[in-house]
Amino acid sequence: MGFFTDLWESATPWSSAEAEAVSGGTGTDSTPAQGGEAGEGEAADKNASTSDNKDGDDDAEEPEEEEEEEELEDPQEKFQEECKESKQCSGPKHHFDECVERVTGASESEDKKGPSEDCVEEFFHLAHCANECAAPKLWAALK
Amino acid sequence: MLARSSCLRAAGAVRNGAVTVSKRAASTSTTEAAASPFRLNLAGGAATAVAIGSAAWYYHLYGPTAHAMTPAEEGLHPTKYPWVHSEYLKTFDHQALRRGFQVYREVCSSCHSLSRIPYRSLVGVTHTVDEAKAMAEENEYDSEPNDQGDIEKRPGKLSDYLPSPYTNDEAARAANNGALPPDLSLIVKARHGGCDYIFSLLTGYPEEPPAGAVVQEGLNFNPYFPGTGIAMARVLYNELVEYEDGTPATTSQMAKDVTEFLNWAAEPEMDQRKKMGMKVIIIGSALFALSVWVKRYKWSPIKTRKIAYNPPQMGGKH
């Protein structure tokens, strides 16, 4: 994580990792390029990959090819939804919802008065907030 | 010599000129100010008005810049993600590169070329020699002309470049509703926001565009694409590819992997550059340390000398 731990990790000879023969496939869990265990994105790969299908039943615990039949959930979607509902994004969410209501209401009642409006900017603000909130969680969950 | 004398003469002329000018100015002010202070004030006032007016006119013409961009035209700025390769002392995640190449090959390569990447450059980065050779051999390339001058096809070699999906840009446009899928070799460097932008673009397609947004025929709503209407539809869906290392192929995982791979494609020398940077720091600091010790050594006689002054004995008593 930190600059100095990085420095230490890359300077110590014993933390060097050999690239494994890749043709075998499933065998290599730790990323060869990152000797240490405290790397940013790959925090405990195995755990991360299994926690992705937490929603599945017990048999989905092992990420093996055959048992992936359960609907795979994208962690990004999950985190973004959570973030949109969170207190952090309540402001933009409120504005977006209000805008959607106004615009759909205006298009349904046929007597259009003002210029037609869209909710793109409100959408941007909400998406920006949700992404900022979800980004670190997502990177911890992805391999 | 010549130059100097002429210079001197010129300077003399200037001095003389200045003297005459000041003389004349003095004479006019004395005569006319006495005659009409009103006309002088008028002249001064008019000159000031012209100065201020022209500056104001200039500001009116060129001062305010027009900001015609709406946020939608600019596009949503991508979120910053903590990419592992952007850390100072981390290399590329080569397993991610391998997965990313798989995504490129199975998904993107049907529309996008990657024409600056030869198979040989994958060796030792994402694949072994044998794997890369086998992949190259799956494609056919033109061979050298044979004895009859005909060009035959031969299986690919390591030195061949990845094949492009279309023979030229026109064919690519024709197949994609008029939009050209750009070559992806340098795309990470060619777009503002780099990796963050590519990742956001690939994962940013909402279920449906926000209320009231106008999406042109044949385009898809993507907030990150400037103008929000992009000709490329969403391409990544969960479990589109099956990773050989068992990583769950979610949309965001595939997008992350392919983005890292494209970043490698745009800057394959990054690992080497970081290594070289370490060497420079090591050698530089070693030489600096050495120089400090050498300086200490060289200066030690000077720093440790003692200057003594013994006043001469005055002869006799005062």
Side-chain angles (χ1 to χ4, degrees):
Chain A
M1 272 281 264
F3 183 80
F4 292 103
T5 45
D6 280 355
L7 194 67
W8 176 249
E9 269 178 27
S10 54
T12 45
W14 54 88
S15 70
S16 76
E18 298 292 318
E20 290 168 56
V22 268
S23 51
T26 48
T28 57
D29 241 5
S30 67
T31 317
Q34 308 161 329
E37 69 291 272
E40 186 83 54
E42 32 96 60
D45 297 337
K46 196 83 180 186
N47 299 342
S49 56
T50 46
S51 67
D52 282 347
N53 27 21
K54 228 189 308 204
D55 58 322
D57 295 324
D58 292 341
D59 61 345
E61 278 306 301
E62 286 296 82
E64 302 226 332
E65 281 97 283
E66 256 45 75
E67 300 176 41
E68 292 280 302
E69 300 307 330
E70 311 287 319
E71 269 288 297
L72 199 57
E73 199 200 359
D74 191 342
Q76 191 185 30
E77 255 167 57
K78 191 178 82 192
F79 291 133
Q80 280 181 348
E81 284 311 312
E82 282 170 12
C83 283
K84 277 181 192 169
E85 302 302 330
S86 71
K87 212 169 113 205
Q88 186 183 350
C89 298
S90 61
K93 174 101 172 83
H94 170 74
H95 287 299
F96 180 68
D97 287 346
E98 208 176 54
C99 173
V100 169
E101 208 171 295
R102 187 170 64 239
V103 170
T104 46
S107 65
E108 272 158 20
S109 68
E110 284 305 316
D111 52 306
K112 266 195 184 171
K113 276 169 263 140
S116 53
E117 191 195 2
D118 66 50
C119 300
V120 173
E121 271 181 53
E122 286 81 356
F123 177 86
F124 276 20
H125 291 150
L126 179 58
H128 176 76
C129 178
N131 282 336
E132 289 293 327
C133 151
K137 299 178 196 167
L138 178 62
W139 241 240
L142 291 182
K143 201 167 173 182
Chain B
M1 200 58 215
L2 201 72
R4 206 167 90 212
S5 63
S6 67
C7 263
L8 286 176
R9 226 177 297 131
V14 166
R15 208 182 311 122
N16 291 344
V19 169
T20 46
V21 163
S22 62
K23 260 186 206 151
R24 203 186 303 138
S27 67
T28 43
S29 66
T30 45
T31 50
E32 283 189 26
S36 161
F38 172 72
R39 281 178 59 194
L40 265 189
N41 287 344
L42 188 70
T48 312
V50 168
I52 292 175
S54 61
W57 181 244
Y58 179 87
Y59 181 76
H60 169 70
L61 282 182
Y62 302 112
T65 47
H67 293 287
M69 286 282 265
T70 63
E73 282 169 322
E74 172 124 1
L76 178 53
H77 289 232
T79 311
K80 281 223 176 318
Y81 289 98
W83 298 97
V84 60
H85 55 247
S86 57
E87 286 173 48
Y88 286 123
L89 297 168
K90 288 279 160 88
T91 62
F92 285 117
D93 177 348
H94 286 257
Q95 290 217 318
L97 297 188
R98 186 181 169 96
R99 291 193 302 268
F101 178 72
Q102 186 186 352
V103 175
Y104 167 74
R105 197 160 104 112
E106 292 181 19
V107 185
C108 321
S109 68
S110 57
C111 298
H112 290 279
S113 56
L114 194 64
S115 59
R116 285 163 195 257
I117 304 297
Y119 282 101
R120 63 183 158 76
S121 69
L122 300 175
V123 174
V125 176
T126 58
H127 291 75
T128 63
V129 183
D130 296 335
E131 286 170 327
K133 272 186 188 160
M135 283 193 298
E137 282 164 11
E138 286 173 20
N139 309 296
E140 286 196 325
Y141 292 85
D142 285 348
S143 64
E144 297 288 304
N146 64 10
D147 293 345
Q148 261 63 47
D150 299 325
I151 293 177
E152 287 167 8
K153 293 286 181 188
R154 59 162 174 80
K157 299 188 271 194
L158 279 183
S159 55
D160 286 314
Y161 284 75
L162 297 188
S164 299
Y166 305 107
T167 44
N168 51 51
D169 285 1
E170 283 67 25
R173 279 182 212 276
N176 285 285
N177 217 349
L180 174 70
D183 183 82
L184 294 183
S185 312
L186 295 171
I187 198 79
V188 170
K189 294 200 171 187
R191 290 293 177 276
H192 188 75
C195 287
D196 295 327
Y197 170 72
I198 309 288
F199 177 82
S200 302
L201 187 79
L202 292 173
T203 57
Y205 293 88
E207 304 260 288
E208 54 187 41
V214 202
V215 187
Q216 267 185 48
E217 184 70 34
L219 297 188
N220 306 273
F221 184 86
N222 189 311
Y224 297 97
F225 191 70
T228 69
I230 184 169
M232 175 171 74
R234 176 175 172 177
V235 285
L236 294 177
Y237 291 93
N238 284 351
E239 295 181 272
L240 189 60
V241 306
E242 194 178 305
Y243 284 133
E244 53 190 4
D245 62 359
T247 307
T250 56
T251 302
S252 47
Q253 181 70 54
M254 288 184 284
K256 178 171 183 267
D257 291 339
V258 79
T259 306
E260 285 189 36
F261 171 72
L262 292 177
N263 188 51
W264 168 82
E267 195 180 2
E269 75 285 4
M270 188 203 74
D271 283 357
Q272 282 304 315
R273 279 179 43 198
K274 283 186 179 164
K275 195 172 166 193
M276 179 57 81
M278 289 273 310
K279 287 184 196 165
V280 168
I281 291 174
I282 291 170
I283 293 175
S285 55
L287 288 179
F288 178 70
L290 200 64
S291 75
V292 170
W293 290 113
V294 168
K295 181 250 163 196
R296 238 183 92 114
Y297 171 69
K298 292 280 181 193
W299 279 71
S300 58
I302 300 171
K303 294 266 187 179
T304 55
R305 81 184 156 178
K306 189 171 173 185
I307 298 172
Y309 174 65
N310 292 325
Q313 285 295 317
M314 290 294 174
K317 288 170 189 157
H318 296 285

